[in-house]
Each structure stands twice: as C-alpha cells, then as structure tokens.
Amino acid sequence: SNAPPSSRPFVGRPSTSRPSTMGSVKPESRISTAGPLNSPKASVGGRMPVCSECHQSIRGPFVTALGKNWHPEHFKCSMCAVSLQDLGFVEEGNRLYCERDYNANFAPLCSNCSQRITGDTLHALDRTFHPDCFVCAHCHQPFGNQGFHLEDDAPYCERDWNNLFTSKCNACNRPIQAGDRWVEALSASWHAQCFCCAMCHSCLEGQSFYGRHGKPYCRAHAS
C-alpha cells in the first residue's frame, strides 16, 4: 500500500549552487626586438633624436625600440655588453638585457617546477607558471586557454570540478553547476526545473509539496 502523505508538507526553496572561482589564463612574453637602423636624416618631432643611454643628440644612424632611441653602439646588454640590434632583448628596471642574461638573472620562477621561465609566462592565481605547468589538480592536464575552477586554493578543469565537487541532480543525475537554480529537498538536490511532481510533472519550485518514497508530489496527487 502507498504510504500516507506527511501531515506537514516539505517546502523546497531555490538557491544557487556552491560558489566557485572561475579563472582564465593567457601566456605572455616579454621579449622585444629592435627595428632596422633609422636614417641619419630622420627626426623626432622635427628635432634631432636623443640617445636614451648617453642623452646626447644622435647625428648618425640610430636604433628605435620601446619608444626610445639609441646610438647603435649604446644599444647593448647592460650586463654582457653584446649588441642587441639583431637579438631579442628585455627591459628590466629601465635597463636592457639580452635574453640569456635576463633569463639567468631576472626570469621569474615557475610556481610548479621552480625552474626559470625563459619563454612564454603564464600568470594565474597571483603566481607565474610555464604554460605546460599550470595544470588541473586532479587530471594534471594543462588548461591551455580554457578557464578553471578554484577549490581549496587548487585549480580544477571544468570536467573534474563538476565530477568532484558539484552536487548531482536527483532527477537527471547531471551536475548542478555554478549559477544553476536548485532545490534542496527530500535529502537530495534537484535542478529547479527538475523538481517536479512525480505524477503530473508540474514544477514544484517554490511550491508546497508532499514527499513519498523520496519523490515529490503536488497537492493534487499527494494521496
């Protein structure tokens, strides 16, 4: 026989699912290159260009990079003095460095492998990573350009975060994701649109309902 309905109906109230932090990542590189030498006849705003190193007027060919000008002989690494005209370089503390010296002395450390990052740098969670070192805490796959969820200060891909941390709807068995409307009732979680009368399938979100054998019923079908 069917169990009688409870004398006091269970009332479900919608709320949002577990809050999460969704982030995204984008690698970047600080390596710059200079263009070809400018003509001695070139001017800057109608005036002779001024060398960013010695602060003297430049009357011959000059190098332009980072919005500044240099005598060719002054456009060099601040550490090893190699010419930077045909090399990649990095500006650090208003000084220029070749890639080798920058990487050896200033390149950031990867928060995962603790090695210097000599190529693209990925910034996430206020830390720096090699792009291939910023990985899901569960499946250990790199995020690439995909977003991630943060749980207990650890990043997770969308799939693993849903599988590990989200509640499953008691009706459709799919994850209740961040931003979904949901109902907690009958010792289970339900998508708001899935919380329906087991008999007539009318939506019971925000409505009084009766529980029987773990299923919700509207007032009309409670008996």
Side-chain angles (χ1 to χ4, degrees):
S1 61
N2 292 333
S6 170
S7 59
R8 185 174 62 183
F10 297 95
V11 179
R13 301 297 180 194
S15 63
T16 58
S17 63
R18 176 199 300 265
S20 67
T21 299
M22 188 71 175
S24 59
V25 294
K26 182 180 180 181
E28 64 177 30
S29 175
R30 295 187 59 188
I31 305 300
S32 302
T33 56
L37 286 176
N38 291 292
S39 165
K41 297 181 180 180
S43 63
V44 180
R47 297 171 297 176
M48 294 293 293
V50 175
C51 178
S52 184
E53 177 66 23
C54 69
H55 307 294
Q56 299 297 312
S57 295
I58 305 174
R59 301 184 181 280
F62 61 95
V63 178
T64 297
L66 304 176
K68 303 174 184 178
N69 303 299
W70 284 268
H71 288 105
E73 63 272 20
H74 291 161
F75 189 63
K76 58 187 179 181
C77 175
S78 296
M79 189 163 290
C80 69
V82 66
S83 173
L84 299 175
Q85 290 185 50
D86 299 315
L87 299 176
F89 64 90
V90 178
E91 184 180 45
E92 179 71 29
N94 293 321
R95 307 299 294 175
L96 301 181
Y97 297 90
C98 65
E99 287 187 63
R100 183 188 63 184
D101 286 334
Y102 172 80
N103 289 337
N105 296 277
F106 301 104
L109 292 174
C110 176
S111 294
N112 188 355
C113 70
S114 300
Q115 299 299 309
R116 294 281 184 184
I117 303 174
T118 59
D120 288 346
T121 302
L122 188 147
H123 297 273
L125 308 179
D126 296 322
R127 288 176 281 173
T128 54
F129 300 86
H130 293 105
D132 289 339
C133 285
F134 186 58
V135 299
C136 172
H138 184 72
C139 69
H140 306 294
Q141 293 299 308
F143 290 106
N145 292 324
Q146 302 300 313
F148 61 90
H149 289 276
L150 192 64
E151 190 74 32
D152 295 330
D153 294 326
Y156 292 85
C157 65
E158 182 85 12
R159 180 191 61 190
D160 287 336
W161 186 82
N162 281 328
N163 289 336
L164 294 170
F165 301 108
T166 61
S167 300
K168 302 297 188 298
C169 176
N170 194 50
C172 69
N173 202 37
R174 293 180 179 177
I176 299 175
Q177 299 182 0
D180 287 348
R181 293 166 61 86
W182 65 290
V183 173
E184 188 76 25
L186 304 176
S187 300
S189 300
W190 317 68
H191 288 113
Q193 67 272 20
C194 294
F195 189 63
C196 301
C197 174
M199 184 71 68
C200 67
H201 306 295
S202 60
C203 184
L204 296 175
E205 179 191 8
Q207 306 296 317
S208 296
F209 63 90
Y210 294 83
R212 191 168 72 242
H213 301 311
K215 296 181 179 181
Y217 291 84
C218 67
R219 187 180 301 273
H221 296 102
S223 58

